Every structure is written in structure tokens, then in C-alpha cells.
Amino acid sequence: MDVGILAFGGYVPRSRLQRAEIGKTHAWYNPGLKGLARGERAIANWDEDAITMAVEAARDCLTGQDRSAVSAVFMASTSFPFDDRQNAGVVADALNLKSGLMTLDLAASQRAGSSGLTVALQAANGSESPILFAASERRQTKAASPQELTYGDGAAALLVGTGDIVARFIGAHSETVDFVDHFRRAGNAFDYAWEERWLRDEGYLKIVPAAIEAVLAKTGIAAAEITTFCFPAAMKRVAGQLAKMTGLNDSAVADNLQAVCGETGAAHPVVMLVHALETAAPGDRILVTGFGQGCDALIFEATEAIKSLPERAGISGHLARRRADTNYARFLTVNGLVNVEEGIRAEVDKHTGLSTHYRNRDMAQRMVGGCCRECGTLQFPKSNICVNPNCGAVGTQDDHAFADKTARLNSFTADRLTYSPDPPAYYGMIQFEEGGRLMADFTDIDPDQELEVGMAMKLMFRVKDYDRNRGFRRYFWKAAPDTDAAAGGQLAEAAE
């Protein structure tokens, strides 16, 4: 059976920092940055990282899919929150997948996304159980650096395997060359980059064509038959040059999303692939490349099944859910690039008892509550006694997942006394529409947004807090305004 992509999904944070704000701030120091100060870049919230974004992309990918069939979770990133804790394992836990599966982290190169996808496809070949592959990136940048303007945060996910595939995997080729255009040694927060001309002339224009020509020869596909060419680099016009050098049509060159998102590092080949699949027609052939100490080149062909894939947000949907951000000082602060006075309320030891963390993982990471077998009442957290006053049965609670349930806002508070990295701290009570309540922290609240009782809310996997003394971070589910539900309600009202 053919192996390929069964489903796809994406995630881009809502906040988009306007590059003009970065340019204005640093023009006195580096006037050359003005040339890059156009468009906007996606920036993660203070409680987002590579893990949380991978979870959201994977949730989008698994829309309409049987999660119990997933046999493995592979994750690629160069900005993993943990060096010695399996990040893919946290993703699998947050998705409430079975424990009997393989998890694998892939890192250490901007090619981790494309190479990881190749490995996932090879592992899934001939297997009846699909593999979930996610690539996610939140890289730190120095203030006033070109990377601060060109990088972006985001994630994408693919479910690969055999069966009713939406895109057939045609073939791949890898060129491995220890060409160092930038690097980050262990313990450093920021990349050290060499000049762009060197990267373009000796890297992109010499290494990438070799990979493209090899995969075309290996698969027997003519360059003119490629419908979409995904080259994940921020540099202008290079993709067009590569197309000309290798015989690809100019019309095949895909938008690199630099103007609206930024380059999402190891995740960007997968981000661009997902973006291409969203509008692909059966028969379209997509060539995607990944560059970093060599080049990977993979070719996919869309099938008839792509027309029947359940609707999802994908990259396009998340790009549309944007909020223009002009607060550059906030960006610097939440990324730890300036030292701000946090006040004495921030001086709390966030020590996490690992035994307690493990015992509560079903509630905290999987968002599993209870459902009473006697009366059907849902409750979170799960307890030994049913909360229904007309029931009160003991020992009748079955596991019940809440993460994907819709909810409504019951009450809320904006607290400027409690410490928050992004004040005020929003929290309140949400009511799940099928039953159950949760007192939750809120996230992704727009500064100009007015919360209203009864508004639609959804749960998102986020960082709960940081243990700065020991380097540990705890995750939990937070409530955010469900803009999709709100938009759907407005459309329904307009139709009436």
C-alpha cells in the first residue's frame, strides 16, 4: 500500500508583532534593519513554547481522526523546552493518547523538520498504524538582530501512514554537507549567524539544487510537473533562483509566509507543506525542501481524498486569526530580553514535587475528568463521589476527556495584584456545555477585548508556571475566547 499523509494541521500564535515597531526602536543603532521592517511576525504568548504549539497543531491535525490508532509521536524542534525529558512524550500525554506507543524527539538542525518527516514516513511504510509527526519552534533572538525581524513562532503536524491518504509520498533525497551558516552551542540562548551572501551563494544555490535534481531523477518526475515548490527560507528571490536553476516553473514557487508569519525554523518546511495542502487539488505535486547542514527534498502528490478531509483551521485559519501587536516592550519582556521589576509577589518558589506531578498527570496534562456511570453527570476534577446531589454515588466515576469540549464563560476577573508575566491575570469559571465546571486561568485575551458572561470559550494547552530555580515548567489547560464560535454565531445572526 502507498504511504503518505492522512491528515494535516497547523498552529500560529494570534499575536503578530509589527516589524515596523522593531525597526523604529533600533534605527538609531542599526539603520540597516529598516529594509526588513515590513510586514509582521508571529510571536508566542508568555505561556507558549514548542510543546504547547505542537499540541495545538496536532489537535488541529487529528480533527475527525481516531486517536487510539496512533502508534507513535515524533516531534522536531531546535527550541525544545527540555534537553533531558522527552518533549514528544508530553505532547502525547496532552493529546490523551494511549501509553503503548513510541515517542521520539528530533533536533540539532534546521533540517530536523524535513528529516523527521522522512523518518516518520519510512517508519509508517507498510504499517497499519499511523504516526503523528509535529514540528514546532519558538527561538530566542537578540534585540536589534536581523533574526529578530525574520524569525517567527509556529507549528505544524502531519498524520502519516497507509490507507485513505490525502497526499501520496512519491520519494525523498537527502544531501548531507557540514555547511555552517549559523550555529548555537550548548548552553547558549541565541544563534550565531554568518553573512547572508555566504549562505545564499555557497549554501542555498549549490546544495539545494543537488538535492532537488536527485529527487526528481530518483522519482522520474519532470521539474515542470511540480505544482508547488516549498523552500523555507526568509531570504528574498532565492526560491525563484532555485526554480530557474532546476527547471521548476516560476508559478510553482510557494509563498514563504515571511510577510505574515516569519520563518519558523525547523518547523517551516512542514508549515509550508501544510499551507500548500490546504489548497491542493488532486494530482498536484508538491516539492518541499529543508535546509541545514545539507538539504532534504521530498515530493508528495495530492489524491482525491483531499477533497473529503474534514474542515480544520490549518495554517491559513490561524493566520487569519491575527491580532496586530505594536507593543515591542512587551515582546522584549516576555522573552526575557530585559530585566523588569516584577515585585515581591513574584518571589514565590514554584517547586514542583515530581511525584505529585506524576500522580496528577491525567487531570493536569490530559484534562481527564469523570462521568458518573449511574446518572451520567460530568465533573472536573474526577472524584470518588458524584457531585450530582440527586445521585451521590460512590466509586462510579469513569474517565472522561474535557480538552476538546466547548464551554461558556460563567464569571471572570482581571487581577492586577496577582503576579503575571503579562498583566492583568485573567481567570474565572467556565461551564462546559455538556456538563462540568472549571475554575481556570485565561489566556490570549486581547487588551481591547471585553469579556462577556456567556461567551464561547475553548481550552488550550499552555505553560502553567515556571520553576526558575530548577528549570522545570508545569503545563495545564487554560481557557481562551473561542473566536471561531463567535464568528459562527455572528454569521448565523446575520442570516436570520
Side-chain angles (χ1 to χ4, degrees):
M1 295 179 66
D2 290 332
V3 66
I5 298 170
L6 295 161
F8 53 83
Y11 177 75
V12 180
R14 285 194 66 200
S15 186
R16 310 294 157 76
L17 182 61
Q18 303 304 294
R19 293 192 179 102
E21 299 300 318
I22 306 175
K24 284 191 299 185
T25 302
H26 299 299
W28 67 274
Y29 176 73
N30 187 356
L33 293 178
K34 288 184 178 180
L36 299 173
R38 292 186 293 271
E40 57 190 23
R41 58 157 293 182
I43 57 171
N45 207 340
W46 73 267
D47 56 357
E48 293 186 284
D49 60 20
I51 284 179
T52 67
M53 292 191 293
V55 169
E56 294 304 324
R59 293 173 74 191
D60 190 43
C61 174
L62 293 173
T63 301
Q65 301 294 321
D66 179 11
R67 295 191 184 188
S68 66
V70 176
S71 64
V73 178
F74 295 175
M75 181 180 173
S77 181
T78 64
S79 53
F80 280 124
F82 295 96
D83 287 338
D84 191 356
R85 180 191 182 190
Q86 197 158 68
N87 299 269
V90 182
V91 172
D93 219 35
L95 296 172
N96 199 19
L97 301 180
K98 63 188 179 186
S99 61
L101 49 68
M102 173 188 286
T103 55
L104 178 67
D105 291 345
L106 301 108
S109 169
Q110 295 297 291
R111 245 193 323 149
S114 54
S115 296
L117 176 55
T118 305
V119 170
L121 287 161
Q122 291 172 345
N125 190 20
S127 172
E128 295 181 358
S129 300
I131 293 173
L132 178 65
F133 175 74
S136 180
E137 203 84 283
R138 182 185 180 178
R139 293 175 293 176
Q140 293 288 86
T141 57
K142 287 184 178 180
S145 67
Q147 291 76 26
E148 185 179 40
L149 289 110
T150 60
Y151 284 6
D153 303 326
L158 301 167
L159 187 66
V160 301
T162 58
D164 198 15
I165 55 177
V166 300
R168 182 179 299 103
F169 175 54
I170 304 297
H173 179 81
S174 295
E175 291 283 328
T176 298
V177 184
D178 190 27
F179 175 85
V180 185
D181 59 290
H182 80 278
F183 68 92
R184 185 174 71 249
R185 71 173 179 85
N188 271 20
F190 308 110
D191 294 342
Y192 178 83
W194 207 243
E195 64 178 52
E196 289 186 353
R197 185 176 59 178
W198 165 259
L199 170 58
R200 181 194 64 206
D201 295 348
E202 291 295 322
Y204 293 154
L205 298 183
K206 290 186 178 180
I207 299 173
V208 178
I212 293 175
E213 290 166 359
V215 76
L216 291 173
K218 184 183 294 186
T219 58
I221 294 175
E225 295 176 326
I226 297 297
T227 311
T228 307
F229 171 42
C230 301
F231 179 65
M235 202 176 294
K236 293 180 180 180
R237 294 184 289 276
V238 174
Q241 289 179 268
L242 290 170
K244 185 176 181 180
M245 293 173 66
T246 55
L248 302 173
N249 294 323
D250 289 340
S251 60
V253 177
D255 179 5
N256 65 1
L257 306 178
Q258 182 59 209
V260 294
C261 174
E263 187 240 316
T264 59
H268 212 56
V270 192
V271 167
M272 290 187 68
L273 174 58
V274 169
H275 191 242
L277 288 169
E278 290 166 0
T279 55
D284 284 356
R285 287 174 170 172
I286 302 169
L287 168 63
V288 59
T289 56
F291 184 86
Q293 290 76 62
C295 180
D296 298 321
L298 301 88
I299 299 178
F300 298 89
E301 181 179 32
T303 70
E304 287 290 333
I306 201 165
K307 296 189 293 186
S308 57
L309 191 68
E311 186 178 352
R312 63 210 53 237
I315 296 299
S316 297
H318 284 98
L319 287 175
R321 281 184 280 190
R322 60 179 290 278
R323 177 178 67 83
D325 193 339
T326 58
N327 192 342
Y328 178 57
R330 174 185 175 277
F331 170 78
L332 293 176
T333 302
V334 300
N335 282 281
L337 298 174
V338 292
N339 291 323
V340 296
E341 175 53 60
E342 296 177 340
I344 59 174
R345 287 186 173 87
E347 297 173 1
V348 177
D349 192 341
K350 301 288 187 178
H351 183 223
T352 299
L354 298 182
S355 53
T356 303
H357 176 271
Y358 177 76
R359 293 189 182 104
N360 292 323
R361 71 191 187 283
D362 283 351
M363 177 190 72
Q365 289 190 170
R366 291 176 172 257
M367 197 63 196
V368 172
C371 177
C372 179
R373 289 193 300 275
E374 296 292 329
C375 67
T377 298
L378 303 182
Q379 63 186 75
F380 188 91
K382 181 181 176 182
S383 67
N384 194 42
I385 301 174
C386 178
V387 296
N388 184 346
N390 297 319
C391 179
V394 178
T396 61
Q397 296 286 304
D398 292 328
D399 286 350
H400 194 85
F402 278 81
D404 295 322
K405 294 190 176 300
T406 55
R408 296 284 171 180
L409 182 60
N410 266 8
S411 64
F412 62 91
T413 297
D415 189 348
R416 286 193 174 273
L417 293 179
T418 300
Y419 168 72
S420 171
D422 185 22
Y426 286 94
Y427 51 86
M429 179 74 73
I430 61 171
Q431 172 80 43
F432 293 101
E433 293 188 346
E434 296 178 17
R437 292 181 176 181
L438 174 68
M439 193 69 178
D441 290 328
F442 297 166
T443 190
D444 287 356
I445 306 298
D446 293 349
D448 300 325
Q449 182 176 15
E450 292 187 6
L451 295 177
E452 297 179 358
V453 171
M455 70 185 298
M457 305 290 282
K458 63 179 179 180
L459 292 181
M460 302 188 77
F461 192 67
R462 294 295 175 93
V463 175
K464 171 67 174 175
D465 52 39
Y466 296 95
D467 179 356
R468 297 179 183 177
N469 294 331
R470 302 162 192 86
F472 194 77
R473 58 184 70 190
R474 289 191 298 159
Y475 297 93
F476 193 57
W477 294 83
K478 298 182 180 180
D482 191 345
T483 54
D484 286 344
Q490 292 170 359
L491 290 173
E493 290 177 7
E496 292 174 1

